[in-house]
Amino acid sequence: RIPMTTFAASIAFFAISNSGVWLTSTMMYMPKSFATLVECYVAAIPFFWTTLAADLGYSTVLFGSFFWLKKYVFTSEKEVAIN
C-alpha cells in the first residue's frame, strides 16, 4: 500500500507543480493553450523519474525504519525475554 501511495503522490506533485509552472511562468513566451500545457508536461518528464526514485527511496527508509524500531526496539515488557 505504501509504494502505491508514494507513486500516486509523485504523480499528483508532477501534475500540480507543472500546471503551476505553465500558469505562472514568465520565461515561456508562449500563449496559454492546451498544446503549450502538454509541451510543459513533456519537458518535465525527465525530472519525474528522479522525483519518483527519491520518493520511493525515502519512503522505504522512513517506513522501514519505523517498522524495524517498532519490532526490535520498542517492544513491550511481555515480549522481552528475561535471562
Side-chain angles (χ1 to χ4, degrees):
R1 195 165 66 170
I2 293 171
M4 291 306 296
T5 304
T6 303
F7 185 72
S10 296
I11 290 175
F13 176 77
F14 178 82
I16 293 167
S17 63
N18 287 306
S19 62
V21 167
W22 175 75
L23 280 172
T24 62
S25 180
T26 57
M27 294 178 63
M28 296 174 58
Y29 300 105
M30 297 181 216
K32 302 293 186 222
S33 66
F34 182 73
T36 58
L37 176 63
V38 171
E39 186 177 335
C40 183
Y41 281 123
V42 169
I45 288 174
F47 302 103
F48 173 71
W49 301 116
T50 54
T51 300
L52 179 61
D55 288 347
L56 288 171
Y58 286 127
S59 294
T60 301
V61 169
L62 291 174
F63 287 105
S65 298
F66 171 75
F67 289 118
W68 183 84
L69 287 169
K70 185 178 173 184
K71 184 174 182 177
Y72 294 110
V73 176
F74 299 111
T75 57
S76 67
E77 291 182 19
K78 294 177 185 175
E79 297 174 1
V80 177
I82 299 174
N83 293 332

